[in-house]
Amino acid sequence: MLRRALQLGLGRGLLGRRLGTHRGGSTLGKVEGSGGYRGSWVAPVSSYVTFRTRDPAHDGKTVGRLGEGDQNGKMSEIKKKIQSVLPGGAWNPPYDTSYLPPEHSDVVIVGGGVIGLSVAYWLKRLEKPRGAIRVLVVERDHTYSQASTALSVGGIRQQFSVPENIQLSLFSEYLAVVDDPPLDIQFNPSGYLLLASEKGAAVMESNVKVQRQEGAKVCLMSPEQLRNKFPWINTEGVALASYGMEYEGWFDPWCLLQGLRRKVQSMGVLFCHGEVTRFVSSSSHTETTSGEEVTLKRIHEVHVKIDRSLEYQPVECALVINAAGAWSGQIAELAGVGKGPPGTLQGTKLPVERRKRYVYLWHCPQGPGLETPFVVDASGAYFRREGLGNNYLGGCSPTEEEEPDPGNLEVDHDFFQDKVWPPLAQRVPAFETLKVRSAWAGYYDYNTFDQNGVVGPHPLVVNMYFATGFSGHGLQQAPAVGRAVAEMVLDGHFQTINLNPFHFSRFYLGEKVQEHNII
Amino acid sequence: MAAPRAPLHLVMPVWNRGTRGIRGLSRAVALEGSQKKGRSLLQFLADRFYDVQALREYLLQKQVLKVHQKNRPFTYIKERFGPHAAGAYFILKQGGAVKFQGKEWIRSDAHGHFSLDFLKFQAVPVEAVNASGCAINYQGLDSLLALKELRSLWLQRCPHVDDWCLGRLHPLANSLQELSLAGCPRISERGLASLHHLQNLRRLDISDLHAVSNPGLTRILVEEMLPSCQVLGADWAQGLPSGPDEQSQDKASPIPA
């Protein structure tokens, strides 16, 4: 087979070179058998190409070849060669295209944050046989400058984490890569302390009961016990406190993100630095069991536009996973979700939008010590210790009326003065003297319907799966959600945990899975 | 290709070091030079051949599974003989030593064999556990946490005890009086912050913790956090320049001309 390829190369060598010089002779020179061919040892096409560019003994042989053979056969071969060289053709073009995503991919994951990478990890881990599925992760900003994952405060707590069999603690083992140091996500197991006033005490008790049934180690404390345990708290106005002791705390989300990226790349997932601009889909009409006509859509191609360029690559795919976080609403609109008369299933949009949240870092020399948990006050303000130098991170979620404009990530420092500092200073008297060191803003992928995630396929766009809308808790739910989506993709149903209540259809049916305790 | 006699260290040396404990660390550092050549050959091969990469990953997984197997729960012994006997069996199987209340220390011999007489002590609680150098991890702690009257726990040089494990020690708060974490490579100040639950702790040993970023400051903060506990190791002046002492020494020993 190699000899045939050599003969073809020799036969068309001169023509091929002429084609090359029309486009600019240097393009042929760029193909060196590197770039897209790294790591593959069975690539006769590449050797065919390299042979053509590097063989100096071309001319003598090709002249003799051109003289023989019939003209018709030659013309059709030339036509075929020209067609294959044009973009979109079957043959790899003789210039470096390693920045483009592949032309075919089984699964395309839109969004390379912690949820998208978690889905990619579990897909690669649960696939049988090894290497069966080609996964492509499309991320438009590889610096993650606006990604919710990187800007997150990094807390995890038992109230939201789905069962223990997918523990973040095991993730450091799962993400171990040969030849690399073991992953350390800098977990602080200091626990969460939630404070409730008179109004919220009953709700907190029932919540704790539910959590204990799931196996969480939470203890309820009265103001007396609170004062004994944490002498720096002012318990005025606090009726009840729930203190999570095990498997709660905070960690460094950037470490997790980089660890996931490294592991997922070592497992063979392809990455693309680009933006999804279009979905090419086809529709088919069917009837439901009750006789209604429905239009089912199937996405065939994803157009990925390369960063800082007008070039795009159509990627043929079997499945699309929407893990775009704060921008998933826009991706869903591109796929045609929500284009229909309002009140119908076709007209139900994905209710995930960007909401801006501020985080402030301050220094307080007399502040609480090493044992400080992640404290969430009854008013909604929260803070946690950061490092060993008496620095604290904190913030507060604004009410619906005060929602800041999500157009940019500028920080409003007056918000700290008016809304964050007073409740915290009242709760922890040591915070009356503090100095704000820095602040940043990030997005929540806020689910305006019920502040809980959307997981699972869309009922009408049959091959688009959602894994978004976690409203500030995506980080802690990422391993579980990743596994659930991978099971849905590979087996067709959930196996380890049942996330059916989080299906998209609840937006149309109006069934809320309300989450009350979001921060 | 290259030297067939190159040492085939098929598993990442960090894992190897971990399982041998802190003495293994110093040995590994000495061998670093020769190991590096072998490792880079294997890395070279693994980057280019899927089979070599798969083989290395398989060996890594096998090591992980071995640790998991060591930390499995002994439910039959727990149901039949009680949680204290199950915990003791677990520790002895790992290679540690156990002391029941009123009895002598029981430890396994060089071949890993130990007598099963302790199964007869039905309700005698375990008082002290010496699990130094054992491969206990997050799951294995289940067996230890059932020992409700444990007074002294030594986890020196355990390679798999990390911050997550320290966060789980709170059920022992009523009884635990002595805890030693010396030389554990994975414990950092973040895990030490969760020790404030152990209000009855009287002796805490935190020497030789290499993952702690600032040992002196950490010790001060831990002492503030546990006021009635004596904290050993991690001299608070560690890392600080000695100041006037150093200068006077320089004057005393003049540089030969």
Side-chain angles (χ1 to χ4, degrees):
Chain A
M1 186 186 153
L2 197 59
R3 190 179 287 169
R4 186 96 176 87
L6 289 179
Q7 279 175 354
L8 262 175
L10 282 173
R12 303 295 149 224
L14 193 58
L15 270 173
R17 193 166 280 174
R18 227 189 269 149
L19 274 173
T21 48
H22 277 159
R23 265 177 297 138
S26 57
T27 56
L28 278 182
K30 274 194 209 149
V31 185
E32 289 155 47
S34 63
Y37 309 117
R38 189 169 288 136
S40 71
W41 288 80
V42 198
V45 178
S46 67
S47 58
Y48 163 70
V49 171
T50 50
F51 176 83
R52 272 187 51 230
T53 53
R54 285 206 247 130
D55 188 6
H58 253 155
D59 302 330
K61 293 202 180 120
T62 48
V63 169
R65 279 274 175 167
L66 272 179
E68 36 187 30
D70 50 321
Q71 290 292 325
N72 280 340
K74 237 191 327 163
M75 280 314 297
S76 63
E77 292 237 46
I78 294 170
K79 264 198 217 154
K80 247 196 285 180
K81 182 85 73 60
I82 293 175
Q83 265 183 348
S84 65
V85 156
L86 290 173
W91 180 44
N92 288 313
Y95 46 86
D96 183 21
T97 51
S98 53
Y99 60 93
L100 284 177
E103 287 163 16
H104 312 271
S105 175
D106 295 308
V107 178
V108 173
I109 299 179
V110 181
V114 71
I115 300 274
L117 292 181
S118 176
V119 173
Y121 168 78
W122 282 106
L123 273 174
K124 274 294 169 185
R125 193 172 135 143
L126 297 176
E127 69 180 355
K128 293 198 166 20
R130 189 190 161 103
I133 301 188
R134 182 184 278 193
V135 180
L136 172 71
V137 173
V138 180
E139 168 59 46
R140 85 175 153 187
D141 180 8
H142 276 195
T143 60
Y144 293 97
S145 54
Q146 296 193 329
S148 313
T149 306
L151 298 167
S152 156
V153 168
I156 44 169
R157 50 178 166 143
Q158 289 283 69
Q159 268 117 309
F160 303 102
S161 57
V162 264
E164 297 74 32
N165 47 10
I166 299 159
Q167 294 177 350
L168 210 54
S169 64
L170 292 177
F171 236 39
S172 53
E173 253 174 30
Y174 289 164
L175 299 186
V177 180
V178 179
D179 277 338
D180 276 343
L183 179 68
D184 175 21
I185 55 173
Q186 320 252 321
F187 178 60
N188 285 268
S190 297
Y192 261 64
L193 180 70
L194 289 129
L195 304 173
S197 56
E198 287 290 337
K199 280 193 304 174
V203 175
M204 177 174 273
E205 273 199 60
S206 58
N207 281 346
V208 167
K209 212 184 293 194
V210 169
Q211 289 151 35
R212 286 213 182 117
Q213 273 168 0
E214 292 290 331
K217 310 270 190 312
V218 186
C219 82
L220 280 170
M221 294 166 80
S222 68
E224 280 285 326
Q225 291 167 320
L226 201 58
R227 264 195 300 271
N228 286 339
K229 189 107 179 143
F230 303 115
W232 38 264
I233 284 192
N234 166 21
T235 53
E236 182 191 325
V238 174
L240 197 58
S242 89
Y243 186 28
M245 292 186 294
E246 222 174 277
Y247 191 59
E248 293 198 358
W250 61 90
F251 64 96
D252 183 7
W254 182 252
C255 286
L256 179 64
L257 190 65
Q258 292 308 314
L260 260 175
R261 257 184 93 99
R262 216 180 41 182
K263 177 67 179 172
V264 142
Q265 270 176 332
S266 82
M267 289 169 117
V269 168
L270 304 167
F271 276 82
C272 173
H273 190 177
E275 185 181 344
V276 170
T277 45
R278 193 175 161 215
F279 291 112
V280 173
S281 46
S282 69
S283 316
S284 65
H285 298 273
T286 48
E287 265 188 25
T288 60
T289 42
S290 49
E292 275 174 41
E293 263 237 358
V294 229
T295 312
L296 296 176
K297 258 183 149 182
R298 186 164 201 104
I299 300 177
H300 288 284
E301 272 185 4
V302 179
H303 283 204
V304 179
K305 178 180 103 66
I306 302 304
D307 202 40
R308 281 187 286 260
S309 154
L310 288 175
E311 197 177 355
Y312 72 90
Q313 166 79 314
V315 179
E316 264 188 72
C317 61
L319 286 174
V320 173
I321 298 187
N322 185 354
W327 295 269
S328 16
Q330 294 162 11
I331 297 291
E333 269 181 33
L334 279 181
V337 169
K339 294 220 174 79
T344 59
L345 188 54
Q346 295 94 303
T348 318
K349 295 190 201 285
L350 180 69
V352 173
E353 53 180 56
R354 300 189 287 183
R355 292 280 172 101
K356 185 157 84 161
R357 295 285 178 267
Y358 304 113
V359 179
Y360 304 92
L361 173 73
W362 64 86
H363 172 71
C364 175
Q366 305 301 323
L370 201 55
E371 75 278 7
T372 320
F374 196 122
V375 180
V376 180
D377 189 38
S379 57
Y382 60 88
F383 77 93
R384 69 158 171 88
R385 177 182 57 84
E386 169 68 27
L388 294 177
N390 281 115
N391 294 315
Y392 305 88
L393 271 186
C396 177
S397 278
T399 55
E400 287 285 341
E401 299 83 39
E402 313 164 329
E403 278 290 343
D405 169 36
N408 56 25
L409 284 179
E410 297 293 323
V411 178
D412 178 11
H413 292 277
D414 296 326
F415 185 77
F416 180 77
Q417 300 277 16
D418 304 328
K419 295 283 181 311
V420 181
W421 197 359
L424 287 183
Q426 200 247 332
R427 190 58 61 215
V428 180
F431 282 163
E432 311 231 323
T433 49
L434 58 78
K435 188 169 155 74
V436 176
R437 282 269 165 88
S438 88
W440 66 86
Y443 290 123
Y444 272 16
D445 48 345
Y446 196 82
N447 182 348
T448 48
F449 187 73
D450 57 6
Q451 286 87 61
N452 245 326
V454 191
V455 179
H458 189 273
L460 295 178
V461 182
V462 292
N463 61 349
M464 171 172 252
Y465 287 73
F466 293 110
T468 177
F470 298 101
S471 316
H473 301 101
L475 196 53
Q476 43 194 302
Q477 299 180 312
V481 165
R483 183 163 190 165
V485 173
E487 284 168 0
M488 191 69 173
V489 164
L490 297 170
D491 301 322
H493 56 272
F494 295 118
Q495 275 184 354
T496 35
I497 24 166
N498 181 15
L499 294 184
N500 280 320
F502 299 107
H503 198 258
F504 182 91
S505 46
R506 74 182 195 269
F507 303 135
Y508 169 61
L509 299 171
E511 293 162 357
K512 290 195 178 189
V513 184
Q514 190 73 41
E515 195 54 77
H516 296 281
N517 276 359
I518 56 155
I519 305 176
Chain B
M1 226 195 233
R5 268 174 257 106
L8 279 178
H9 290 278
L10 290 172
V11 191
M12 190 170 70
V14 173
W15 288 94
N16 266 339
R17 268 185 248 152
T19 47
R20 272 185 254 145
I22 203 161
R23 287 193 211 94
L25 262 176
S26 45
R27 248 185 280 151
V29 164
L31 291 171
E32 189 71 23
S34 59
Q35 263 186 17
K36 260 210 175 104
K37 263 188 275 175
R39 207 172 359 136
S40 66
L41 163 71
L42 219 48
Q43 234 171 324
F44 177 84
L45 287 177
D47 283 342
R48 283 152 183 79
F49 291 103
Y50 285 126
D51 348 17
V52 178
Q53 185 190 31
L55 180 66
R56 293 191 81 192
E57 281 177 10
Y58 169 70
L59 288 167
L60 184 65
Q61 284 306 312
K62 259 187 55 165
Q63 276 229 330
V64 170
L65 280 174
K66 200 162 89 164
V67 173
H68 273 243
Q69 174 68 1
K70 277 196 168 173
N71 282 288
R72 66 194 187 278
F74 296 106
T75 35
Y76 174 71
I77 301 183
K78 191 163 177 172
E79 279 163 30
R80 178 89 199 277
F81 297 104
H84 296 279
Y89 186 83
F90 167 72
I91 296 292
L92 288 168
K93 201 95 168 108
Q94 290 255 353
V98 175
K99 182 179 187 305
F100 282 85
Q101 205 171 57
K103 316 271 185 221
E104 291 298 317
W105 280 94
I106 309 175
R107 147 191 321 273
S108 55
D109 64 8
H111 296 283
H113 302 304
F114 49 91
S115 81
L116 291 172
D117 292 337
F118 64 89
L119 292 175
K120 292 192 294 251
F121 311 150
Q122 287 289 354
V124 182
V126 173
E127 201 177 52
V129 164
N130 181 356
S132 306
C134 297
I136 296 189
N137 71 1
Y138 190 81
Q139 264 81 33
L141 270 188
D142 282 335
S143 311
L144 275 185
L145 295 175
L147 306 172
K148 289 292 177 224
E149 297 193 31
L150 190 64
R151 288 239 209 101
S152 135
L153 179 60
W154 295 346
L155 291 171
Q156 288 153 347
R157 304 181 306 276
C158 290
H160 299 286
V161 166
D162 56 8
D163 299 330
W164 299 85
C165 300
L166 289 188
R168 283 193 89 184
L169 287 180
H170 62 90
L172 300 175
N174 289 333
S175 57
L176 198 65
Q177 288 175 6
E178 182 184 342
L179 178 63
S180 168
L181 299 168
C184 291
R186 291 216 193 162
I187 293 187
S188 69
E189 67 272 14
R190 303 178 283 276
L192 294 177
S194 63
L195 290 180
H196 70 278
H197 293 286
L198 307 173
Q199 286 301 322
N200 283 326
L201 204 60
R202 297 287 168 261
R203 269 173 62 99
L204 174 64
D205 186 355
I206 51 171
S207 37
D208 283 335
L209 292 175
H210 295 279
V212 168
S213 52
N214 203 332
L217 181 57
T218 308
R219 182 191 161 156
I220 295 175
L221 291 171
V222 169
E223 280 181 347
E224 274 179 28
M225 189 172 78
L226 294 168
S228 50
C229 176
Q230 181 197 13
V231 177
L232 303 167
D235 182 25
W236 62 266
Q238 202 172 334
L240 293 175
S242 25
D245 291 342
E246 244 180 25
Q247 286 172 6
S248 62
Q249 261 180 18
D250 286 336
K251 286 194 196 116
S253 55
I255 305 161

